[in-house]
Amino acid sequence: MDMASLSSNLLFIAFVAYLVATFLFGGAVKSSNAQSTKSFDRWGKLAITVTIIGFIANLGYFITRWVAAGHAPVSNLFEFTTAFGMMIVGAFILIYYIYKAPALGLFALPIAVLIIAYASMFPKEISPLIPALKSYWLTIHVITAAMGEAILAISAVAGLIYLLKNIDLTKKTKERFWIEAVMYVLFIVVGFVVSTVSFSVANYSAEYTYISKDETQHTIEYTMPALFGMNESVAITDNAFEPLVEMPPLVNAKKLTSVVWSILFGTVIYLLLRLILRKRISSILQPLTKKSNSQLMDEIGYRAVLIGFPVFTLGALIFAMIWAHEAWSRFWGWDPKEVWALITWLFYAVFLHLRLTKGWHGKKSAWLAVIGFIIIMFNLIAVNLIIAGLHSYA
Amino acid sequence: MDKIVCACGNVNPAGTALCESCGRPLNEETKEKKIVDMRYEGSARRSQTYNKTIIDKVWNFFSSVKVGMWIIVSILVAAAIGTILPQVFYVPATNESDIAAYYERIYGWFGTLYYELGLSDLYSSWWFQGLVGMLGISLVIASLDRVIPLYKSLKKQKTKRHISFLKRQRVYGIGKAEVTEDSLLKAEEKLKSLKYNVKREGNAILAERGRFSRWGPYVNHLGLIIFLFGVMLRALPGFYVDETMWLREGETLYVPGTNGYFLESKGFIYETYSKEESNEVFGDAIDRVGTIAKNYQTDVALYKGPENSVAGHAEDLTFEKNASIQVNKPIKFDNFSVFQMDFRLDELAKMKFQLQDKQTQQSFGEFTIDLANPQPLYELNEGYKVEVLDYYADFTGFEEGVPQSQSPLPNNPAFLIKMYSPEFPKGETSFVMIKETVEPLGENKHKIAFQSVETRDVSGLTVRKDLTLPLLALGGLIFMIGVAQGSYWNHRRIWIQLLEDGQTVVAAHTNKNWLSVKRDLDEVSKIAHLPEYLDQDDLDSLDEKVDKEEGV
């Protein structure tokens, strides 16, 4: 087996291990109370062992891909997002050994699984480096930044557990609405994965020509039925799906189509689950958090920001500035990705100040942690896909 | 305002909430609290004490964390708005009307609105820079307001603290445990082995570690202040150069912004990955994407002219060095860096023509026009010559019979030419374009026939000098030290006291990471048999405890 296929097999093993470990953590969470410490120990130990096996396989993927490509596998959206998922698991293992909270695994691992699944929807082949990325700073900057973001993500996981445990889901409140909204957003990501996989299994492909904003003609390949057509689009493929709405040249209708399909699939899956279980998703998850200590979750949420913030600053701002000065001649250029890294940094600075001096503990702090993760994901997904800038490599 | 004298005899500055020495609460508000606010040790901050003069008011405004947070949130929101559409410096237009037209053409009414509101150049707007400036002021004042009293307070704290202070700590326990002199000694020893600084005063122990982490926030704020100061310095002349230049192959040009440096382009190299020569694993990617760029490189020679030499005078140059400028590998000299930023391939450089008889196509000589520097006259065979009356480098057509050129770049060269021959000593006029000729003054006998063309590549280079970089690096370094100091260490204190009535008190405080200080305390308790403590903030555990006591 060559290096490249060994690498993708290792990633698959890691993916499966994380899924299995999620259920094992579920078992650990259910049995974790004073009476059954032994059974918790058994489930908990098994769960963390499987997680570590998965993580080692995941590291194996990373190293073998590095060897195969000759550069750190963080050079496009698939590679970066996968590395981010892996580092979330790494950060979880780190925090787990400090605080021994199984509920953290129960929520962190599915998020890592979802992120790796999301990553796998993008072109996966190993690509050579374009001139702008040929620098050892690629390795240093991207890996440090991803590590910082991953540790910060654990803060959001702890926040989520805190909120699920402490929000009264029997009363109609704003909090109840928003926590369910967070769940719904996770389902949209599931919707993206399911729709992409479904259409790719069905081998759907259709080509269209269109007129771009500089008034030249291009062709574009859709891998999902075109809900939205590009500007003045004309089908090339026979029997191609006739777009329902044609978009102006400014809008990338192909991306819009895949966003809308994700929302459609996600919503259908979400509604089906709600119909079958006759409960809010947050209500289904709430019992799993009942045995977590709120104080501990609050502390983990804070500690993760404390550990992650300096790493993020170093990777996403300082190393970024040094590299930007070498590659683009200026250390700061207000490129959207830079700006959103700054926004993330400012946001966590606010988080720390509000917590330290305004006493924002508990729910407020937990909500901020969740919002922080949303900003990180916005920078990862939306800024790359929607706002074009120097960083859109994928 | 008056100083406050505590029952213990310590004289505290006005506005102090907790006696610097013994910790007694000094005002009603503090006395009513179940857990005391330990953030600044209850010290007297200027902003909390004075509010009379205008200086007080300004000081109080900027020292407020709330105000600071609103400034940060405003910057954050403004920064986000600036990413909705590309900023002007990413827009392919240079003058105001072109920029406005660009936003309207590409983004419609929203683009116009965005442009009109000044959001297209948001980051250099006065109000955005004003916000950043306010943040800088806030950093200075808010830090000074806190760090000085905090320092004094921590320095003055006594080992023996009053019970009213101890019982208002989050981690607190009291009880008639069997604590003897011996167990206090054991506790001291254990605390020392846990790397605490232990002080003893009678029956009181104060164990403290990591106090320096309390300075972390102020150190990192200092780093940020230095960084912002460095950014401001850029506005001063001489600190900062940001120029661009287009350098053609074979050309030697003055490097703008420098004093007397010249660059000669020896060639531009553009390479892409080919399936044959690349690593096998890249095959799929190359197949899918098509062309993947591998290298953009300008090979240059650097020269230094005499002092005060000016653009266009490439004389008396002394050779300095050869270099290959690549993306990520600028050439560096004398605080300047020149970066490979852009390129244009195959720009027309020279055009070769023949003067011919239109009918017989007999040639009367060849001439080559250097498009960067056309000669007025080209002598050909005996009695034949060609005069270039006018040159239009980027010809776009005629407007009211007058030829137009939209730029000095030879994208579409055209020439107004006079052809002299023995038959026509006064010359025949011809307007020569690529693939076309117009004879504006009537039918000619001769013509200019295009023969061949030479092209060359053009490198787009950016010239940069930034003397503020060392200061920015220093600011960044200090920030990182401060933020690590404040995040990765924490200030823990454990108090143990034997009271006169025979009870033992334990209390603990940490600025963060309560789990660890509780673990430390547990270890000490095990050896010294201290009374059980409560985390007065941990509602879950408190509930559990109540449940147990009620026998649920």
Side-chain angles (χ1 to χ4, degrees):
Chain A
M1 189 161 41
D2 65 88
M3 226 32 149
S5 40
L6 173 66
S7 175
S8 41
N9 288 336
L10 283 171
L11 183 61
F12 183 70
I13 292 171
F15 186 84
V16 174
Y18 295 157
L19 269 180
V20 172
T22 305
F23 289 103
L24 293 176
F25 274 117
V29 163
K30 284 210 160 165
S31 61
S32 84
N33 57 32
Q35 283 79 38
S36 55
T37 342
K38 268 196 186 151
S39 102
F40 155 63
D41 268 3
R42 219 177 46 230
W43 282 102
K45 265 189 191 146
L46 194 58
I48 192 71
T49 309
V50 174
T51 310
I52 291 173
I53 291 170
F55 186 67
I56 292 170
N58 208 341
L59 271 180
Y61 142 82
F62 195 74
I63 293 163
T64 46
R65 192 173 169 102
W66 192 328
V67 172
H71 58 80
V74 287
S75 66
N76 60 30
L77 205 51
F78 161 72
E79 291 181 339
F80 177 78
T81 314
T82 308
F84 178 52
M86 173 177 86
M87 285 171 191
I88 287 182
V89 178
F92 156 68
I93 293 172
L94 171 81
I95 301 275
Y96 183 83
Y97 275 102
I98 305 179
Y99 291 101
K100 298 276 181 333
L104 213 55
L106 181 61
F107 287 85
L109 288 178
I111 287 177
V113 162
L114 203 52
I115 286 174
I116 295 173
Y118 171 80
S120 307
M121 301 302 114
F122 294 94
K124 289 196 285 282
E125 69 266 357
I126 300 178
S127 175
L129 289 182
I130 58 168
L133 296 182
K134 279 188 181 169
S135 167
Y136 54 88
W137 285 108
L138 171 71
T139 314
I140 302 170
H141 155 62
V142 182
I143 290 181
T144 323
M147 257 167 38
E149 291 183 346
I151 302 169
L152 293 172
I154 296 297
S155 161
V157 173
L160 199 62
I161 297 171
Y162 186 97
L163 292 172
L164 281 171
K165 175 171 176 173
N166 288 291
I167 290 175
D168 183 352
L169 294 173
T170 57
K171 290 199 191 92
K172 194 168 185 264
T173 56
K174 271 187 199 155
E175 282 181 323
R176 187 178 81 161
F177 171 79
W178 285 111
I179 194 77
E180 191 64 16
V182 170
M183 299 297 137
Y184 174 65
V185 170
L186 292 175
F187 273 89
I188 293 175
V189 182
V190 174
F192 175 73
V193 174
V194 173
S195 60
T196 311
V197 170
S198 311
F199 290 123
S200 119
V201 167
N203 224 349
Y204 184 88
S205 165
E207 283 199 318
Y208 300 85
T209 60
Y210 70 99
I211 309 293
S212 72
K213 66 182 177 189
D214 56 9
E215 283 158 15
T216 51
Q217 197 185 47
H218 301 265
T219 57
I220 192 164
E221 190 198 352
Y222 276 64
T223 50
M224 296 178 169
L227 298 174
F228 299 91
M230 302 291 283
N231 183 43
E232 297 176 34
S233 91
V234 178
I236 304 174
T237 318
D238 294 331
N239 301 324
F241 189 85
E242 194 57 38
L244 302 178
V245 187
E246 189 181 292
M247 301 308 290
L250 181 62
V251 178
N252 185 330
K254 184 187 167 184
K255 285 176 181 172
L256 185 64
T257 298
S258 91
V259 169
V260 172
W261 274 118
S262 308
I263 295 175
L264 286 176
F265 270 73
T267 310
V268 169
I269 297 169
Y270 174 81
L271 289 177
L272 273 178
L273 263 181
R274 291 253 339 224
L275 275 175
I276 295 166
L277 299 166
R278 306 209 153 268
K279 261 185 184 172
R280 296 167 170 274
I281 303 301
S282 33
S283 311
I284 298 164
L285 295 175
Q286 191 166 50
L288 296 171
T289 64
K290 270 293 166 239
K291 282 166 186 156
S292 307
N293 180 309
S294 304
Q295 185 75 33
L296 185 67
M297 283 307 141
D298 188 54
E299 173 135 353
I300 293 173
Y302 177 42
R303 192 83 190 279
V305 175
L306 279 178
I307 300 175
F309 185 72
V311 180
F312 179 80
T313 311
L314 194 64
L317 291 172
I318 295 187
F319 289 160
M321 286 191 214
I322 299 174
W323 188 14
H325 185 261
E326 286 296 303
W328 298 323
S329 86
R330 80 289 180 290
F331 66 90
W332 192 260
W334 299 107
D335 171 68
K337 194 92 180 176
E338 290 174 350
V339 175
W340 278 93
L342 177 69
I343 288 172
T344 311
W345 184 78
L346 289 173
F347 181 84
Y348 280 102
V350 170
F351 174 103
L352 289 171
H353 282 91
L354 288 177
R355 192 173 169 108
L356 285 167
T357 69
K358 294 280 154 216
W360 281 36
H361 293 237
K363 272 188 194 164
K364 283 177 175 172
S365 171
W367 274 117
L368 287 182
V370 170
I371 296 169
F373 183 64
I374 292 171
I375 295 178
I376 289 176
M377 291 318 286
F378 182 85
N379 198 5
L380 175 59
I381 296 172
V383 173
N384 274 56
L385 297 183
I386 300 171
I387 306 175
L390 296 169
H391 276 83
S392 20
Y393 300 120
Chain B
M1 271 201 215
D2 295 334
K3 295 199 178 297
I4 307 170
V5 184
C6 174
C8 73
N10 186 55
V11 182
N12 297 288
T16 308
L18 294 171
C19 171
E20 294 168 325
S21 172
C22 73
R24 273 191 187 86
L26 295 176
N27 56 39
E28 289 309 313
E29 200 191 331
T30 318
K31 278 177 198 158
E32 275 164 26
K33 278 187 186 148
K34 203 174 152 231
I35 301 176
V36 88
D37 181 359
M38 290 288 285
R39 266 177 289 140
Y40 311 108
E41 304 285 313
S43 59
R45 285 161 52 200
R46 189 188 196 285
S47 62
Q48 306 301 304
T49 314
Y50 304 98
N51 192 15
K52 282 210 184 98
T53 64
I54 190 105
I55 293 174
D56 293 342
K57 295 212 156 98
V58 171
W59 181 276
N60 295 354
F61 178 77
F62 281 110
S63 73
S64 154
V65 170
K66 201 170 165 186
V67 170
M69 289 309 103
W70 278 115
I71 297 172
I72 295 186
V73 170
S74 315
I75 293 175
L76 189 159
V77 171
I81 292 171
T83 61
I84 297 175
L85 295 186
Q87 292 285 301
V88 274
F89 38 81
Y90 291 119
V91 161
T94 43
N95 67 57
E96 283 299 311
S97 57
D98 286 354
I99 292 171
Y102 179 87
Y103 279 98
E104 190 181 356
R105 183 162 56 84
I106 305 287
Y107 304 107
W109 65 267
F110 183 74
T112 307
L113 182 73
Y114 197 79
Y115 175 79
E116 289 297 330
L117 288 174
L119 302 178
S120 54
D121 199 10
L122 186 147
Y123 304 117
S124 37
S125 69
W126 61 269
W127 59 269
F128 187 78
Q129 304 210 332
L131 279 173
V132 177
M134 278 168 73
L135 182 63
I137 297 170
S138 168
L139 280 169
V140 174
I141 293 184
S143 302
L144 287 178
D145 190 59
R146 289 165 175 78
V147 70
I148 295 167
L150 178 65
Y151 175 78
K152 285 187 185 156
S153 193
L154 281 175
K155 221 180 148 190
K156 277 196 184 172
Q157 62 169 336
K158 274 207 310 192
T159 305
K160 189 168 182 182
R161 289 252 149 163
H162 193 253
I163 182 73
S164 57
F165 173 82
L166 296 177
K167 78 172 182 202
R168 287 184 176 84
Q169 293 300 318
R170 185 174 140 184
V171 170
Y172 170 71
I174 186 162
K176 272 211 184 300
E178 309 258 310
V179 180
T180 57
E181 175 59 33
D182 184 47
S183 45
L184 277 188
L185 282 175
K186 274 188 189 155
E188 258 185 84
E189 214 166 283
K190 184 69 203 170
L191 285 163
K192 272 180 192 153
S193 76
L194 291 170
K195 292 180 188 148
Y196 279 78
N197 271 324
V198 185
K199 282 194 219 159
R200 177 81 188 263
E201 191 188 313
N203 282 334
I205 289 177
L206 163 60
E208 188 176 10
R209 70 176 277 192
R211 191 197 284 184
F212 86 108
S213 87
R214 291 293 281 275
W215 316 125
Y218 310 102
V219 173
N220 79 44
H221 284 181
L222 176 71
L224 289 176
I225 293 162
I226 294 174
F227 188 92
L228 287 176
F229 180 73
V231 173
M232 269 166 49
L233 270 190
R234 271 217 235 170
L236 294 182
F239 274 94
Y240 187 70
V241 169
D242 173 19
E243 301 277 355
T244 53
M245 64 190 287
W246 289 97
L247 188 62
R248 289 162 176 79
E249 285 174 318
E251 209 175 24
T252 303
L253 278 187
Y254 178 72
V255 184
T258 62
N259 47 346
Y261 284 97
F262 289 79
L263 275 179
E264 178 191 0
S265 169
K266 304 211 155 178
F268 176 78
I269 300 170
Y270 168 58
E271 292 169 291
T272 56
Y273 288 98
S274 70
K275 258 185 105 166
E276 296 72 39
E277 288 166 39
S278 309
N279 186 341
E280 217 180 297
V281 295
F282 298 148
D284 291 345
I286 295 170
D287 279 344
R288 186 176 63 85
V289 182
T291 312
I292 302 177
K294 185 180 183 184
N295 186 24
Y296 309 117
Q297 173 178 335
T298 309
D299 291 330
V300 294
L302 177 73
Y303 302 93
K304 178 105 171 75
E307 279 307 312
N308 308 323
S309 58
V310 286
H313 270 270
E315 287 153 11
D316 303 326
L317 301 182
T318 42
F319 172 77
E320 295 257 319
K321 61 176 170 184
N322 282 318
S324 297
I325 308 178
Q326 287 177 316
V327 179
N328 275 310
K329 288 191 187 110
I331 177 179
K332 294 183 180 173
F333 54 92
D334 192 16
N335 285 324
F336 289 94
S337 305
V338 177
F339 296 83
Q340 175 65 50
M341 295 298 283
D342 204 350
F343 63 94
R344 283 200 300 267
L345 294 178
D346 300 329
E347 187 184 88
L348 296 176
K350 287 177 182 164
M351 292 174 90
K352 197 169 168 193
F353 298 97
Q354 256 181 17
L355 179 65
Q356 292 180 349
D357 183 295
K358 246 205 252 174
Q359 299 250 281
T360 64
Q361 307 209 333
Q362 187 198 349
S363 167
F364 304 106
E366 281 187 345
F367 64 100
T368 301
I369 299 182
D370 179 353
L371 295 172
N373 189 19
Q375 301 298 310
L377 195 69
Y378 294 89
E379 297 278 356
L380 305 176
N381 293 358
E382 192 72 44
Y384 290 89
K385 59 182 178 180
V386 165
E387 189 185 357
V388 177
L389 297 176
D390 231 328
Y391 166 46
Y392 308 92
D394 197 354
F395 177 69
T396 50
F398 295 93
E399 254 173 51
E400 294 170 8
V402 182
Q404 303 293 320
S405 176
Q406 65 173 1
S407 79
L409 303 177
N411 294 328
N412 184 25
F415 308 89
L416 185 61
I417 278 178
K418 232 172 186 179
M419 302 171 284
Y420 299 93
S421 51
E423 298 114 294
F424 299 96
K426 286 195 177 165
E428 298 168 285
T429 308
S430 175
F431 191 78
V432 180
M433 295 164 278
I434 290 175
K435 290 183 183 161
E436 203 187 346
T437 304
V438 175
E439 298 174 347
L441 304 176
E443 188 81 1
N444 294 336
K445 184 170 186 289
H446 296 94
K447 71 166 184 182
I448 302 289
F450 170 73
Q451 297 298 301
S452 64
V453 64
E454 268 179 50
T455 64
R456 56 182 173 179
D457 301 332
V458 194
S459 309
L461 304 174
T462 291
V463 185
R464 177 88 56 187
K465 173 171 104 168
D466 193 345
L467 293 185
T468 68
L469 289 179
L471 203 57
L472 299 179
L474 179 73
L477 180 71
I478 293 179
F479 176 82
M480 278 315 299
I481 291 173
V483 84
Q485 187 179 341
S487 309
Y488 298 150
W489 281 270
N490 43 65
H491 180 212
R492 300 177 197 168
R493 270 174 294 177
I494 294 174
W495 293 272
I496 305 170
Q497 280 180 29
L498 270 176
L499 299 181
E500 281 164 11
D501 61 3
Q503 297 208 90
T504 309
V505 181
V506 287
H509 177 75
T510 178
N511 60 337
K512 51 184 74 90
N513 198 357
W514 287 85
L515 195 73
S516 302
V517 77
K518 284 192 251 175
R519 274 182 198 159
D520 290 351
L521 192 53
D522 289 341
E523 284 195 41
V524 179
S525 295
K526 237 186 272 166
I527 293 174
H529 310 292
L530 302 174
E532 249 188 87
Y533 64 85
L534 263 186
D535 182 342
Q536 308 193 64
D537 229 13
D538 183 358
L539 301 176
D540 283 359
S541 300
L542 286 178
D543 288 349
E544 247 171 60
K545 209 153 203 154
V546 173
D547 288 351
K548 268 186 205 157
E549 278 160 16
E550 287 171 356
V552 178

